[in-house]
Amino acid sequence: MNARRQTRLLLSLICLLTVASVGTAKGERARSSIGEPATAPETTGLREVITPKYQRRYEEWKAEFLSTDIGKAQWEMYSHHPRLLLTITIGGKNSEGAGTGGYKWNDKGELVAATIVLGERLDSGYPSAVYYPVMNALEPFESKQLIGGTVLAATKIAHEFGHVMKISSTPEDLYNLQVKLVPSYNKIFLSNGYNVNDPRLVEMAQKMGGNPVQIWEDREYWGEANAMLFLKDRVEKEKFHCRLFGKIKRAVEEYAKDYEERFAEIAKEQGAIYTCGWR
Ligand SMILES: [Zn+2]
């Protein structure tokens, strides 16, 4: 990554992190997906905490996600997970986005809790191609009415599932260290004339496995990789699938070159006829 791009990304990331927050739905009594009032909390599996006013849209987004084999398989995996309680809810400040957090680990260092908060307008809004080459690529297809907002919402759900999968393989110590060091890193960066070669920053980056931009990119691109996996399933029989994957490829080449292999692997997975120009 060149220095100027890194500085620009660090600055925009600091802005992003200041406004980002994983909220929880408050104010209304939650009920489970089958319409029963929520009872004793489950300890493992998949818990859906959806307020009645969002129930209908939630069911549509979920049905879209489950219309693919990959969506079904991932849903099943978390529904029957032996250790993890994954909560899905709608609310938060980021109405067109989503967030994953509320991570907890057990004594053995295994992830036992995570919460996905979906925005109430998840079916609209396309995030920037810089960090979201997959979700962003859908935009022209919606304006041409080739896909609907429900597909966009389901793709965002897949992105969040990608975060949960990645965090499951991230050691708790490393995650906590990143949470602790990133604000200190950013503070020094803002006060040292944006010098990423500052020995203090170099040392911090080494300890936490990258600078804040690299950590952020790596997490987001894991989310996007899973979003791509979902879309591959969802659009494989559509005439436009290669146009869509071509658009993703161009965005990855432009903004996520260091992570290209991750996306190329997915493109190649279903055999040569579906690579759509990926090596
Ligand atoms: Zn994300």
Side-chain angles (χ1 to χ4, degrees), residues 126-137 221 224 247 251-252 254-256:
Y126 295 85
S128 139
V130 179
Y131 290 118
Y132 305 100
V134 178
M135 294 194 280
N136 179 274
Y221 292 144
E224 287 297 90
K247 194 162 190 296
V252 166
E254 189 162 355
Y255 305 111

Side-chain angles (χ1 to χ4, degrees), residues 5-6 14 20 29 55-56 59 85 94-95 104 139 152 155 173 176 180 189 198 210 219 231-232 237-238 247 272:
R5 176 166 182 257
Q6 185 160 314
I14 292 168
R29 198 157 140 259
Q55 193 72 35
R56 181 185 281 196
E59 293 301 339
L85 173 62
N94 188 2
S95 67
K104 283 185 195 140
E139 190 168 17
L152 175 64
T155 308
D173 293 351
N176 288 338
K180 196 176 126 203
F189 174 73
D198 184 322
R219 279 188 202 153
L231 276 182
K232 201 163 159 52
K237 292 188 183 71
E238 307 278 0
K247 194 162 190 296

Side-chain angles (χ1 to χ4, degrees), residues 36-49:
E36 297 295 325
T39 50
E42 297 89 341
T43 51
T44 60
L46 218 156
R47 179 175 61 156
E48 297 157 285
V49 183

Side-chain angles (χ1 to χ4, degrees), residues 50-100:
I50 309 296
T51 54
K53 79 167 174 178
Y54 299 136
Q55 193 72 35
R56 181 185 281 196
R57 70 185 77 171
Y58 174 72
E59 293 301 339
E60 279 175 20
W61 302 340
K62 177 180 163 183
E64 184 71 60
F65 184 66
L66 295 180
S67 73
T68 60
D69 289 343
I70 191 78
K72 239 183 286 173
Q74 293 183 354
W75 196 274
E76 278 294 299
M77 177 183 78
Y78 287 116
S79 299
H80 300 107
H81 201 286
R83 287 179 308 275
L84 178 70
L85 173 62
L86 177 60
T87 303
I88 301 181
T89 187
I90 296 186
K93 290 182 191 143
N94 188 2
S95 67
E96 292 180 352
T100 299

Side-chain angles (χ1 to χ4, degrees), residues 98 132 135 159-160 163 219-220 223:
Y132 305 100
M135 294 194 280
H159 176 102
E160 298 308 317
H163 283 314
R219 279 188 202 153
E220 290 313 317

Side-chain angles (χ1 to χ4, degrees), residues 155-174:
T155 308
K156 290 179 183 174
I157 292 174
H159 176 102
E160 298 308 317
F161 270 59
H163 283 314
V164 178
M165 276 176 229
K166 180 59 191 161
I167 205 79
S168 303
S169 62
T170 303
E172 180 186 6
D173 293 351
L174 178 63

